[in-house]
Amino acid sequence: MTVRDTAARDSVMPGTDQVKGAGVNKGYAVYCDADPHFYDAPHRTGPGTRSAGTRYAAATLPVPAGWQRGESGDWLALRPLDAALPAQGWKIHISACLDNAESVLERVRLHCVERGIAFKFVPSRYLLHQRNAKYADRAGSGKFVTVYPADEEQFERLVGELAALLDGEPGPHILSDLRIGDGPVHVRYGSFTRRNCYDESGELRPAVANPEGVLVPDFRGPVFRVPDWVSVPAFLQFHIDARATVTLADIPYTVESALHFSNGGGVYRARDTRTGEVVVLKEARPYAGLAADGADAVTRLHRERRALEQLSGLSCTPEVLDSFAVGEHHFLVLEYLDGKPLNTFFARRHPLIEADPDERRLTEYTEWALDVHAQVERAVEEVHARSVVFNDLHLFNIMIRDDGRVALLDFEAAHRVDEPGRQTVAHPGFVAPAGRRGTAVDRYALACLRLALFLPLTSLLALDRRKAEHLADVVARQFPVGRAFLDAALDEIADSSDRRPAARPTTEHFVPVAPGDWPRSRDSMTAAVRASATPSREDRLFPGDVAQFATAGGGLSFGYGAAGVLYALAESGAERDESEEQWLLDRTKELPSGTPFGFHDGIAGVAWALEHLGHRARALDLTRLLLDHPLDGLATDLHSGTAGVGLALDSLAAATGDSALRDAAMRCAELSARCLPADAPDRGSERLNRAGLLYGATGSALLFLRLYERTGDTGLLDLAGDALRQDLARCVRGAGGALQVDEGWRTMPYLGAGSVGIGMVLDDYLAHRADERFERAREEIVRAAQAMFYAQPGLYRGVAGMVLYLGRTTATGPGTGPEAVRRQIDALTWHAMSYRGHLAFPGEQMMRLSMDLSTGTAGCLLAVASVHGDRPTGLPFLPPPRRVPRPMSRPHQGS
């Protein structure tokens, strides 16, 4: 994905504001350790996990007399009962390494307790490791202890005392802060309490108050920044000046662009000013970007240099050209190889992105894929012949050069064949089982590559390696590839205990029931959802996306929490469970502080769902929270902004007859119209820079449409048309004429942030007003829902959304009949998993299962129910406009 990054100065690399990532959100990996099946917060890791026995002694000590203790997330806070702290101000962060953290914590704790200074700290070695890991959030990385001075006088005194107390102690640089000297003490201005506001894009952010008392975003990016109205204490100027002296002015390389960022440093395209040659600069920050074995980025950079020097002369690896250090940052200069990572070729060449690829396309692709694998296999053999294990082979570390040759990139995890140690850095779709060592790790990755070249779903093997057999069967049916090629992969991937009986069909062995086998699939998905429930937890009832932990009340929400799951269960015809609904009622008596207002992420969606389930009194209690707060600061979108809030209020107004709710809904429509420039609706708005149902102007169009149907005001219909035109202006035509949302570096067909969501609202608009451009657009959007393969199964970013759209659309023509719907329901089987013997689906990034509506099993259930259910159903505010001939229910099948 494209990342806008403002950390150039702290990475000592100028002019590097756009970066393309590797395509996998590595932040999800942090949420994989706590549970083998579901994403969960890192601080919930317990006995039997990697965090066991890592809690610091300071976290287990009795609370000092006159103090109070509180633990939230991955922080443990201690504060004197009589402490009077400001809401915001200058605070002190202290970093530490894994080896010195306990000592640093003990000294800082004693210093603060003796002086009555409030502080908090990360209570375990495991959590500190996660904060400093390679793909941890760079803005929060390194923060180990936070100290809260009562005023600026105390702040200056504490900075000096703590700097002296910890002089000589190593610790990673906290990028969001100003470092005091060369030690682990850092400072920044920010909020002392948990307060939130919406930024200019409508995203919920931590907040500070400006001089007028208005909450504004408390910037916590990977760069030191002070609010405009705050004066920097004079004693800090020396440290600011020292920081400014660290530059790249004296090196013979000019940085041209950034290729990648991680918590350990950046990778940059640069030019040698002496020769004009294009090179790659790899940056490493000390004590940061930790791997599983605790090795920091600098250690791994030295490993990469040693490995590449040992491989020098091979055509499949880059040459080492130079190395140097600037301040504490280390750099490796590598040969620049023209080409693109292997993963980028799927969008260009893979035949299953088409609706009906012919035999020639399938054959050509198969020949290309087999050639690529053979080249990679030879390259790995050459590396092994030099006594080096690559140790991190995957689609993003394989380069296809402009002349078609293969090269291997990123050797920071490599080691000699005769060196002990396990795999410490790996892509989730290629990570070897824990017992594999040495060249066996690379052989496992090569086996995964045999499958991933045809069906890039090997991330599912992290959940259950038996899925490999199912994937191999799908590949064999879709491509003219020899079975022996696939069976060789299965022999390498599976332990002997994993292999299925030879006579047993794979799909029936692995998938409990085919998604199209209704109502058995409904019953199976319902059983999976309910088997995953954790009613004893306060934060969530059903496991879902990591978004459950991103905002207060995430586990209650419609998009990712209990409200959406209960809606999907009810709409699918599953039997109601009073205890599940009571769980939600109990947790909404008093919402967590800071719960957002939005439909998918907050109060509006929970209130609407409770009304839908028959709990009107509680729904109205929550709705009053919306009425009591101005909504001007919200984005205009359906996910978390005024479009979603307005639709919920309008629906509740219709159900209750409450004129105040109706007026509030109309106010939301006025606010949503901000995304529509009056003079040029096709140009778009600076405030709204995304397109689609959840995050674009289409959500506002849906609000305008529903209010038009309620009021008959044609001005609202005009606004709906303007909003749809704005999002269509952000679309481009791709393969086969399919219309998709253009995000600059990728095109998106999906229901949430792609063209299919626009198509759903186009259908409803065209029921009221003819428009030739809209008619053509929705015909092209139908084509976007015809691909044979989508990377994920979820409702808003995967196959399930295509099922719901195709089952609902009023468009006619090719691709809109029951057969097209049935084919996409069958395609859900490719992603299907088993949870306690029941049908379940993986969530975003497919490293863990999810039960939520937006990304997981509940969304898949709702999509299939919209086609096969006994009564019309669909998304809120997008009910089925008509009943289309439903595809016949199918029993088990292996397509």
Side-chain angles (χ1 to χ4, degrees):
M1 69 184 160
T2 301
V3 180
R4 295 202 174 273
D5 201 292
T6 56
R9 287 172 297 167
D10 290 275
S11 290
V12 300
M13 306 300 293
T16 56
D17 64 336
Q18 293 202 46
V19 187
K20 283 195 176 179
V24 171
N25 186 333
K26 301 293 176 49
Y28 275 75
V30 177
Y31 294 86
C32 290
D33 283 350
D35 190 287
H37 302 290
F38 304 108
Y39 295 119
D40 209 344
H43 70 269
R44 297 193 67 93
T45 51
T49 68
R50 286 195 297 169
S51 69
T54 69
R55 203 161 172 86
Y56 294 122
T60 65
L61 293 174
V63 179
W67 285 66
Q68 62 182 356
R69 165 190 167 127
E71 197 158 355
S72 177
D74 53 1
W75 288 105
L76 191 159
L78 289 169
R79 176 177 177 172
L81 292 172
D82 59 356
L85 291 177
Q88 63 193 50
W90 288 95
K91 54 187 174 181
I92 302 167
H93 288 127
I94 297 167
S95 66
C97 303
L98 297 180
D99 292 339
N100 70 336
E102 186 110 46
S103 171
V104 166
L105 175 57
E106 182 53 40
R107 280 176 280 168
V108 173
R109 177 188 178 279
L110 184 61
H111 192 86
C112 290
V113 169
E114 288 178 346
R115 290 159 180 78
I117 308 297
F119 68 102
K120 67 179 181 180
F121 60 93
V122 176
S124 76
R125 177 186 174 93
Y126 169 79
L127 290 174
L128 180 61
H129 190 163
Q130 291 292 353
R131 277 190 163 265
N132 291 336
K134 180 176 179 180
Y135 287 103
D137 176 15
R138 290 190 298 144
S141 176
K143 295 176 182 176
F144 176 46
V145 183
T146 304
V147 179
Y148 297 99
D151 51 43
E152 285 198 12
E153 181 181 348
Q154 189 180 74
F155 168 64
E156 181 173 356
R157 183 170 64 253
L158 280 170
V159 168
E161 292 171 351
L162 291 171
L165 181 69
L166 302 175
D167 183 43
E169 290 288 354
H173 182 188
I174 301 172
L175 295 178
S176 63
D177 290 22
L178 175 65
R179 192 170 198 162
I180 304 301
D182 297 324
V185 177
H186 301 70
V187 301
R188 71 179 293 267
Y189 186 95
S191 181
F192 283 22
T193 60
R194 183 169 184 170
R195 295 180 294 175
N196 296 297
C197 71
Y198 293 90
D199 65 14
E200 61 182 9
S201 300
E203 297 289 334
L204 196 66
R205 301 292 188 194
V208 291
N210 66 16
E212 291 74 41
V214 177
L215 292 181
V216 297
D218 179 9
F219 181 79
R220 299 182 181 185
V223 62
F224 175 61
R225 180 182 296 181
V226 180
D228 295 339
W229 68 88
V230 174
S231 298
V232 178
F235 81 96
L236 294 179
Q237 191 60 48
F238 170 81
H239 303 285
I240 293 175
D241 294 342
R243 172 177 172 269
T245 63
V246 182
T247 71
L248 294 179
D250 297 328
I251 68 166
Y253 304 99
T254 300
V255 174
E256 296 182 340
S257 64
L259 304 175
H260 177 64
F261 277 125
S262 75
N263 189 33
V267 181
Y268 310 92
R269 174 189 166 115
R271 193 171 296 274
D272 189 324
T273 56
R274 299 162 297 187
T275 66
E277 180 184 8
V278 176
V279 298
V280 171
L281 299 185
K282 293 197 69 171
E283 175 193 27
R285 299 196 301 120
Y287 317 121
L290 304 182
D293 62 350
D296 68 358
V298 174
T299 299
R300 293 199 310 279
L301 193 73
H302 293 328
R303 288 176 181 172
E304 178 160 22
R305 176 175 183 169
R306 288 195 299 270
L308 289 176
E309 287 176 343
Q310 191 162 339
L311 299 171
S312 179
L314 295 182
S315 62
C316 61
T317 58
E319 294 291 329
V320 174
L321 304 177
D322 193 7
S323 64
F324 59 91
V326 176
E328 63 176 9
H329 298 249
H330 293 243
F331 291 88
L332 187 62
V333 185
L334 300 176
E335 174 190 8
Y336 183 87
L337 302 180
D338 288 314
K340 290 182 170 57
L342 176 56
N343 68 293
T344 64
F345 285 80
F346 286 108
R348 301 178 181 184
R349 305 193 63 140
H350 205 289
L352 298 190
I353 64 172
E354 301 175 11
D356 188 21
D358 59 28
E359 185 176 340
R360 178 185 59 81
R361 283 277 290 117
L362 293 168
T363 299
E364 287 177 351
Y365 180 83
T366 299
E367 291 173 350
W368 175 82
L370 293 176
D371 175 66
V372 167
H373 189 274
Q375 286 195 60
V376 174
E377 199 165 39
R378 287 195 297 271
V380 171
E381 289 172 356
E382 291 180 359
V383 169
H384 289 177
R386 296 282 184 96
S387 299
V388 174
V389 178
F390 189 11
N391 234 15
D392 192 20
L393 179 70
H394 56 77
L395 296 171
F396 307 97
N397 282 350
I398 299 169
M399 171 78 77
I400 306 296
R401 305 187 69 170
D402 291 345
D403 60 6
R405 291 180 298 153
V406 160
L408 306 180
L409 306 177
D410 199 357
F411 278 77
E412 65 178 41
H415 62 71
R416 288 185 54 84
V417 170
D418 56 1
E419 290 177 342
R422 60 187 177 89
Q423 196 172 19
T424 59
V425 176
H427 185 282
F430 293 79
V431 61
R436 308 288 173 98
R437 296 287 189 276
T439 57
V441 171
D442 291 347
R443 289 197 302 270
Y444 180 90
L446 284 168
C448 292
L449 183 63
R450 288 176 182 246
L451 301 178
L453 279 165
F454 295 95
L455 204 63
L457 297 177
T458 54
S459 291
L460 297 175
L461 304 188
L463 279 164
D464 190 336
R465 284 202 304 279
R466 294 174 301 169
K467 183 67 176 180
E469 304 232 17
H470 184 196
L471 298 180
D473 283 357
V474 174
V475 171
R477 278 188 292 272
Q478 299 297 327
F479 294 91
V481 57
R483 187 70 210 199
F485 178 84
L486 301 172
D487 285 343
L490 299 183
D491 289 338
E492 183 64 48
I493 291 170
D495 291 336
S496 59
S497 59
D498 293 333
R499 296 306 302 273
R500 62 180 170 85
R504 193 171 186 180
T506 301
T507 301
E508 289 198 7
H509 169 72
F510 191 83
V511 180
V513 55
D517 187 4
W518 191 269
R520 290 182 63 224
S521 61
R522 177 197 63 198
D523 296 341
S524 189
M525 283 186 274
T526 299
V529 168
R530 288 184 162 147
S532 74
T534 54
S536 63
R537 285 179 62 157
E538 290 294 319
D539 61 332
R540 76 172 190 200
L541 178 59
F542 303 107
D545 190 67
V546 303
Q548 290 185 332
F549 312 106
T551 59
L556 313 178
S557 68
F558 190 86
Y560 312 104
V565 175
L566 294 178
Y567 169 77
L569 291 173
E571 288 296 288
S572 70
E575 185 177 349
R576 298 273 290 271
D577 186 317
E578 291 185 7
S579 66
E580 294 170 345
E581 295 178 24
Q582 189 60 49
W583 185 95
L584 186 57
L585 289 168
D586 290 343
R587 272 69 180 180
T588 52
K589 290 178 182 177
E590 185 175 348
L591 288 173
S593 175
T595 299
F597 295 135
F599 188 86
H600 281 81
D601 65 346
I603 297 171
V606 176
W608 184 89
L610 286 171
E611 161 65 22
H612 187 79
L613 294 169
H615 304 289
R616 178 166 295 176
R618 180 56 49 76
L620 292 177
D621 287 343
L622 297 179
T623 304
R624 291 187 191 98
L625 298 176
L626 299 176
L627 300 182
D628 289 344
H629 288 82
L631 303 175
D632 303 59
L634 294 182
T636 57
D637 61 42
L638 176 62
H639 182 272
S640 54
T642 51
V645 173
L647 283 162
L649 291 171
D650 175 61
S651 177
L652 287 163
T656 63
D658 189 326
S659 60
L661 297 179
R662 185 173 293 110
D663 292 345
M666 294 303 296
R667 172 60 177 156
C668 285
E670 294 173 7
L671 294 171
S672 294
R674 293 174 299 177
C675 70
L676 307 175
D679 58 338
D682 278 357
R683 191 175 65 240
S685 159
E686 292 182 0
R687 182 175 180 84
L688 191 74
N689 53 20
R690 301 179 68 178
L693 179 64
L694 288 186
Y695 306 104
T698 297
S700 296
L702 181 59
L703 172 61
F704 300 143
L705 269 177
R706 295 298 169 246
L707 290 175
Y708 160 72
E709 293 167 349
R710 201 87 75 191
T711 66
D713 181 352
T714 57
L716 290 164
L717 192 59
D718 294 340
L719 286 173
D722 289 344
L724 288 167
R725 278 184 281 274
Q726 177 168 303
D727 272 6
L728 287 174
R730 291 184 168 91
C731 294
V732 295
R733 290 170 184 83
L739 196 66
Q740 300 188 32
V741 169
D742 182 9
E743 293 193 342
W745 64 280
R746 64 180 179 184
T747 58
M748 298 288 279
Y750 299 117
L751 178 61
S755 56
V756 162
I758 302 172
M760 291 190 76
V761 182
L762 280 175
D763 285 338
D764 289 16
Y765 179 93
L766 290 168
H768 298 291
R769 179 180 288 174
D771 187 299
E772 290 186 7
R773 178 186 174 187
F774 287 178
E775 286 284 2
R776 289 194 303 272
R778 73 167 175 171
E779 290 175 4
E780 295 168 336
I781 288 171
V782 166
R783 297 173 196 166
Q786 297 299 304
M788 296 186 67
F789 174 76
Y790 297 96
Q792 301 189 123
L795 184 64
Y796 285 130
R797 278 171 53 89
V799 186
M802 305 306 173
V803 171
L804 191 145
Y805 167 67
L806 290 173
R808 179 187 191 272
T809 184
T810 53
T812 58
T816 59
E819 181 58 35
V821 180
R822 179 166 53 242
R823 189 180 69 178
Q824 295 296 12
I825 292 176
D826 290 346
L828 273 174
T829 307
W830 297 3
H831 301 81
M833 304 293 288
S834 175
Y835 178 67
R836 297 188 180 178
H838 308 301
L839 178 62
F841 289 91
E844 191 79 6
Q845 305 299 314
M846 298 192 299
M847 291 184 275
R848 290 293 184 268
L849 300 176
S850 170
M851 297 299 172
D852 70 29
L853 182 92
S854 291
T855 71
T857 305
C860 295
L861 171 62
L862 183 67
V864 179
S866 73
V867 175
H868 285 304
D870 296 330
R871 60 188 177 88
T873 189
L875 286 172
F877 323 119
L878 284 165
R882 64 183 176 92
R883 290 300 290 180
V884 297
R886 66 171 74 177
M888 293 180 62
S889 178
R890 285 191 177 184
H892 293 290
Q893 52 198 320
S895 61

